[in-house]
Amino acid sequence: MRWLIANRMKRKSRSAAKPNQAPPDSVFSLGSPQKWFQKALKEAGIPPGRWHDGRHTVGTRMAQQGRELKTIMEVLGHTTPQAALRYQHMADEQRRAAVAGLSQAARSATQGTSQRA
């Protein structure tokens, strides 16, 4: 971000039919993210990456913290749950824990029924 501040960039221009809707202080209102983002990563000593990698990380981390889907949608700027869900990825440990929880619940339910009989 320091790179962006130090290297003033011109606001992207769009046709009158499709105006630039990003706020003036947003990085999305600046020149092509593909160009400035790679330069900023290089200057920061970070390996090359894709702009959307950060969005996937944010969506995944918020889901791991148990944030509601509506909150994740708002933070990522999505209007549909399907769009926000594309940015959430479960870790293997989460899948195992979810299945283990189901197994435990099934065992508890079975034990409860056999004790009543």
Side-chain angles (χ1 to χ4, degrees):
M1 291 299 153
R2 288 187 190 122
W3 185 90
L4 290 174
I5 293 167
N7 294 280
R8 298 268 179 218
M9 300 176 74
K10 293 180 184 173
R11 188 168 166 80
K12 285 192 279 188
S13 60
R14 300 248 175 103
S15 68
K18 288 185 99 176
N20 189 335
Q21 297 179 6
D25 60 346
S26 165
V27 294
F28 296 107
S29 70
L30 302 174
S32 169
Q34 292 174 347
K35 293 178 184 175
W36 62 255
F37 185 64
Q38 294 306 320
K39 288 179 185 176
L41 289 177
K42 185 175 182 178
E43 187 169 302
I46 299 170
R50 298 170 302 172
W51 176 261
H52 270 74
D53 291 347
R55 291 178 63 84
H56 286 272
T57 300
V58 168
T60 299
R61 297 276 166 81
M62 289 182 74
Q64 288 172 342
Q65 293 172 357
R67 301 291 185 247
E68 292 181 358
L69 180 58
K70 182 161 178 44
T71 302
I72 297 170
M73 287 171 56
E74 289 176 8
V75 169
L76 294 178
H78 294 135
T79 55
T80 65
Q82 293 81 4
L85 288 171
R86 277 186 232 130
Y87 287 87
Q88 298 174 41
H89 308 283
M90 267 192 185
D92 289 339
E93 310 86 59
Q94 289 176 291
R95 284 188 199 86
R96 284 192 284 276
V99 172
L102 288 173
S103 298
Q104 181 63 37
R107 279 193 294 275
S108 296
T110 304
Q111 289 171 354
T113 346
S114 62
Q115 290 175 356
R116 282 185 242 146

